[in-house]
């Protein structure tokens, strides 16, 4: 009885504490406090609808409390419909207006990127349990680093800047929010094996402690994942390991402490110079799987093209109700990224022996290549203070963060391991280092105070004005700066004040409408400081002004939502055409108008059967030319057939991405992309009494064997023999067995 009361107090604390993964889920309309206490979060609320209702079965749904276009992809869909070796981009790819998630080496075993309404990776946020993460040079993300699929309980795609307390480096494009699993209140465990095409092996294991009486009801989980694969592309094996620990510790009756730490190790083989891209001629001659080889006299020898990554992500969060309507949420966090890349320099996979320069200045034959380092760490704190009244909630907070980055590249003859002095000398400056292309240290500082007030003049209406100030500073301290290869010591700051206004109106228990006005912000990337004179790059930060409205519906048989958006993007940066080719610098070129319509719907037919569809029509055109910019699909569409009843589980999920252009002048189109995945599961009676459930699974990726180009690098508006492409990985098959304890 005492333990039950402790669990109840934890549930009450979670229901009041903003900013936690559980409370955030509740605010999105997917998790109640009771659900959170029972299963650790992530399950749809069954307060009004049963487990076979549309809200429970919907692959993607928008909450009735939404104030901007949003799609929740919960643990039920991830477990029953997402391929076992998928990454977080392949999960998020389901949402309307989202495209990407492809890689040429096979699902989940190669780097993938997302596109959100035409905004590329680095132009929208990614968060994990509400903490923004990304590279320090351009805010991009690595799908094989940090968070494999087994560390994700649900994904929330927000297509907009949100309110003032939505934090991130690139609020103007939207956010892809990942949430970790929570420890369950009862002891449990799960173990799974997957094996399939290209000798792909995946092992996952999770153990939940349940509530521990000797720790006052605290509970924790440990999650481990190992994957390895030969890869679809030739001589391109991959292996990785991830371990995650998460613990919830109640302190008294009104405070919860959350500790999470996760570490990830990856090794893969890929040319850093070609990124797996092929010309059409090479693809026709050797096949679209051609990449690396086993000849040490060739530049594409796999041992010359190896990348090792080690990452870590940790936070400590304190949440407490303080009385008199006050509550506090404070998170201190740290994450790091270390990438050591060995690669040949050749852009041609068929390149053989080439010229290297010895220390004496003499030329010889060898394999030119390099060893590249990219490492960074960041530490930050996110503080939120809340005050609740019967008519609304006031929120004020501060996000502060600092980071340091080291990047460098040293050139070698990969055949012998000797230095290759192939860099051009800089007269009078730093003699004798002509095998070092760059040795660069940089830093970032981020400051974002914010405030907002969610006013409820009536129970069904919430009006939330807010304001946020953003100040982002980059500093450079390089003995040998990238590109210019000159010393560089300077810093630049970018700042902006961002207003917000959102309105949510609950028309009745099944329907809501919303509208949003919000501004977004994005600081320029590190590239702008990689010049001989960084003072030339006095850029304004990129900004957006977002106008959106939408309608959401949830009932027993139907879940659907639709929205319209208009985004005015200003201060887009580009290389100044008047700058010298040897030392380019940047300027604010102009802007882009994004606009479109999006929607998604699920219908529950009954008896565990549901159908889902979504679509978007998107436009992203330059203000200067009125032509579609590169990387902006004209439309997206998705459909799914789902069955989940008794021992049988089926998910057939289709995604189509419309035509997009490689160039900003609406030239060089890529054909539409299609992908169809099948996932089957069957629960059998376990012969072991310790095993509660045993599921056999069969997955098929790219069922129709589409092999289109999803990315291209071109030299002109017209096709040429030197154009290179990344192609979709082919159809592949996987079998799995999962035991729950």
């Amino acid at each position: 009885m005492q333990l039950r009361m402790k669990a109840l107090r934890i549930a009450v604390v979670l229901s009041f504490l903003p900013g936690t993964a559980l409370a955030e889920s509740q605010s999105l309309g997917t998790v109640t406090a009771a659900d959170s206490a029972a299963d650790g979060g992530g399950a749809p609320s069954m307060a009004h609808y049963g487990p076979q209702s549309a809200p429970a079965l919907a692959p993607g749904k928008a909450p009735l409390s939404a104030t901007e276009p949003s799609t929740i992809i919960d643990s039920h869909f991830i477990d029953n419909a997402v391929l076992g070796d998928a990454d977080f981009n392949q999960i998020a790819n389901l949402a309307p207006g989202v495209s990407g998630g492809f890689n040429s080496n096979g699902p989940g075993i190669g780097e993938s990127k997302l596109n959100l309404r035409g905004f590329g990776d680095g132009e929208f946020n990614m968060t994990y349990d509400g903490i923004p993460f990304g590279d320090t040079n351009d805010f991009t993300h690595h799908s094989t680093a940090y968070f494999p699929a087994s560390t994700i309980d649900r994904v929330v795609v927000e297509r907009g800047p949100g309110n003032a307390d939505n934090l991130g480096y690139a609020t103007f494009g939207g956010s892809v929010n990942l949430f970790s699993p929570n420890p369950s209140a009862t002891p449990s465990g799960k173990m799974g094996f997957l094996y399939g095409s290209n000798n792909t092996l995946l092992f996952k294991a999770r153990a939940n402690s349940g509530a521990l009486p000797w720790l006052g009801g605290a509970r924790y989980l440990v999650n481990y994942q190992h994957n390895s694969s030969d890869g679809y592309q030739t001589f391109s094996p991959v292996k990785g390991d991830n371990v995650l620990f998460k613990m919830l510790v109640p302190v008294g009756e009104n405070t919860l402490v959350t500790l999470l730490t996760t570490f990830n190790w990856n090794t893969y083989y890929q040319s850093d110079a070609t990124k797996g891209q092929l010309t059409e001629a090479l693809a026709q001659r050797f096949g679209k799987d051609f990449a690396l080889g086993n000849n040490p006299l060739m530049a594409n020898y796999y041992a010359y093209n190896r990348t090792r990554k080690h990452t870590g992500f940790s936070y400590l969060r304190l949440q407490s109700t303080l009385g008199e309507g006050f509550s506090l949420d404070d998170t201190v966090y740290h994450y790091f990224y270390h990438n050591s890349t060995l690669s040949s320099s050749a852009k041609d996979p068929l390149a053989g022996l080439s010229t290297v320069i010895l220390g004496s200045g003499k030329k010889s034959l060898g394999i030119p290549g390099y060893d590249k380092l990219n490492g960074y760490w960041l530490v930050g704190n996110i503080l939120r203070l809340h005050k609740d009244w019967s008519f609304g909630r006031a929120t004020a907070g501060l996000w502060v963060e600092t980071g340091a980055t080291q990047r460098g590249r040293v050139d070698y003859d990969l055949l012998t391991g000797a230095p290759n002095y192939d860099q051009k000398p800089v007269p009078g400056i730093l003699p004798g280092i002509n095998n070092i292309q760059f040795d660069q240290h940089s830093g970032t500082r981020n400051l974002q105070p914010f405030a907002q007030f969610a006013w409820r003049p009536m129970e069904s209406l919430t009006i939330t004005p807010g304001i946020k100030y953003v100040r982002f500073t980059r500093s450079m301290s390089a003995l040998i700066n990238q590109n210019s290869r000159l010393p560089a010591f300077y810093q630049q700051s970018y700042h902006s004040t961002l207003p917000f206004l959102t309105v949510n109106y609950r028309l009745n228990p099944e329907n809501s409408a919303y509208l949003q006005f919000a501004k977004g912000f994005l600081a320029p990337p590190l590239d702008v400081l990689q010049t001989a004179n960084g003072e030339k790059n006095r850029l304004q930060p990129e900004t957006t002004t977002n106008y959106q409205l939408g309608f959401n519906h949830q009932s027993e048989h139907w879940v659907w939502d639709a929205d319209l958006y208009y985004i005015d993007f200003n201060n887009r940066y580009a290389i100044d055409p008047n700058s010298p080719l040897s030392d380019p610098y940047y300027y604010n070129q102009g802007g882009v108008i994004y606009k479109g319509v999006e929607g998604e719907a699920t219908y529950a037919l009954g008896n565990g059967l549901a159908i889902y569809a979504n679509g978007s029509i998107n436009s992203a055109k330059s203000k200067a030319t009125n032509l579609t910019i590169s990387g902006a699909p004209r439309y997206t569409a998705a459909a799914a057939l789902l069955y989940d009843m008794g021992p049988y589980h089926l998910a057939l999920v289709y995604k189509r991405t419309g035509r997009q252009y490689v160039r900003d002048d609406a030239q060089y189109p890529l054909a539409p992309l299609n992908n169809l995945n099948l996932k089957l599961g069957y629960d059998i009676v376990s012969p072991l009494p310790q095993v509660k459930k045993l599921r056999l699974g069969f997955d098929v990726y790219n069922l129709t064997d589409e092999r289109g180009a999803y990315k291209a690098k071109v030299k002109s508006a017209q096709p040429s023999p030197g154009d290179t492409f990344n192609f979709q990985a082919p159809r592949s098959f996987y079998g799995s067995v999962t035991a729950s304890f």
Side-chain angles (χ1 to χ4, degrees), residues 316-623:
L316 181 67
R317 175 172 279 166
L318 172 68
Q319 299 139 318
S320 184
T321 55
L322 305 177
E324 302 297 329
F326 287 96
S327 59
L328 173 147
D329 175 12
D330 189 59
T331 302
V332 59
Y333 64 89
H334 168 264
Y335 66 93
F336 70 87
Y337 174 90
H338 186 274
N339 177 350
S340 177
T341 295
L342 185 71
S343 177
S344 66
S345 305
K347 299 289 186 181
D348 180 5
L350 298 181
L353 297 176
S354 186
T355 301
V356 296
I357 302 176
L358 307 177
S360 61
K362 293 183 179 180
K363 296 181 178 180
S364 180
L365 289 178
I367 303 292
Y370 53 84
D371 190 352
K372 186 175 74 173
L373 167 69
N374 181 17
Y376 58 77
W377 60 262
L378 296 101
V379 61
N381 191 87
I382 300 172
L383 172 66
R384 289 183 174 92
L385 295 171
H386 303 271
K387 168 62 175 172
D388 288 293
W389 294 274
S390 61
F391 55 85
R393 160 175 282 196
T395 300
L398 176 66
W399 176 31
V400 293
E401 182 187 79
T402 185
T405 302
Q406 180 182 4
R407 305 175 73 245
R409 173 178 149 173
V410 182
D411 292 349
Y412 292 97
D413 173 10
L414 300 178
L415 187 64
T416 65
N420 179 19
Y421 297 92
D422 60 341
Q423 298 295 325
K424 294 181 180 180
V426 180
I429 299 178
L430 302 173
I433 57 167
N434 296 339
N435 69 317
I436 301 177
Q437 188 184 82
F438 58 90
D439 183 6
Q440 178 193 91
H441 293 257
S442 62
T444 59
R445 294 197 306 273
N446 181 43
L447 175 69
Q448 294 191 21
F450 55 90
Q452 65 185 39
F453 182 69
W455 176 43
R456 293 189 299 274
M458 60 182 72
E459 187 66 26
S460 59
L461 178 63
T462 303
I463 302 171
T464 308
I467 192 166
K468 175 164 56 184
Y469 174 75
V470 180
R471 185 174 185 86
F472 185 84
T473 301
R474 289 193 183 277
S475 60
M476 176 67 73
S477 177
L479 290 175
I480 309 171
N481 202 4
Q482 191 171 348
N483 296 334
S484 69
R485 297 194 70 247
L486 292 172
F489 302 91
Y490 44 75
Q491 72 175 31
Q492 291 188 5
S493 294
Y494 313 94
H495 60 90
S496 185
T497 300
L498 308 176
F500 299 83
L501 176 65
T502 62
V503 178
N504 176 278
Y505 182 61
R506 293 288 291 267
L507 289 84
N508 54 50
E510 296 183 346
N511 299 285
S512 69
Y514 62 85
L515 62 85
Q516 178 189 61
F517 162 80
K519 285 186 174 289
F521 172 94
L522 178 64
L526 186 64
D527 292 4
V528 304
L529 300 187
Q530 294 176 166
T531 65
N533 182 3
E535 297 299 316
K536 294 178 181 178
N537 289 313
R538 286 297 179 182
L539 297 178
Q540 295 296 316
E542 295 179 321
T543 61
T544 56
T545 303
N546 298 254
Y547 306 92
Q548 308 194 87
L549 59 89
F551 191 93
N552 300 323
H553 172 86
Q554 288 191 14
S555 60
E556 180 72 27
H557 292 285
W558 279 102
V559 170
W560 61 268
D561 59 85
D563 67 88
L564 297 168
Y565 69 91
Y566 180 93
I567 303 172
D568 186 357
F569 170 25
N570 291 302
N571 298 331
R572 192 183 192 206
Y573 73 88
I575 295 177
D576 192 326
N578 298 317
S579 62
L581 294 177
S582 59
D583 183 27
Y585 50 88
Y586 294 80
Y587 77 113
N588 288 115
Q589 179 188 47
V592 179
I593 296 296
Y594 296 81
K595 56 186 176 180
V597 58
E598 303 163 325
E600 58 187 331
T602 299
Y603 181 70
L605 289 84
N607 297 318
L609 187 63
I611 54 175
Y612 169 81
N614 75 40
S616 69
I617 300 175
N618 310 100
S619 172
K621 294 186 176 181
S622 166
K623 291 182 181 180

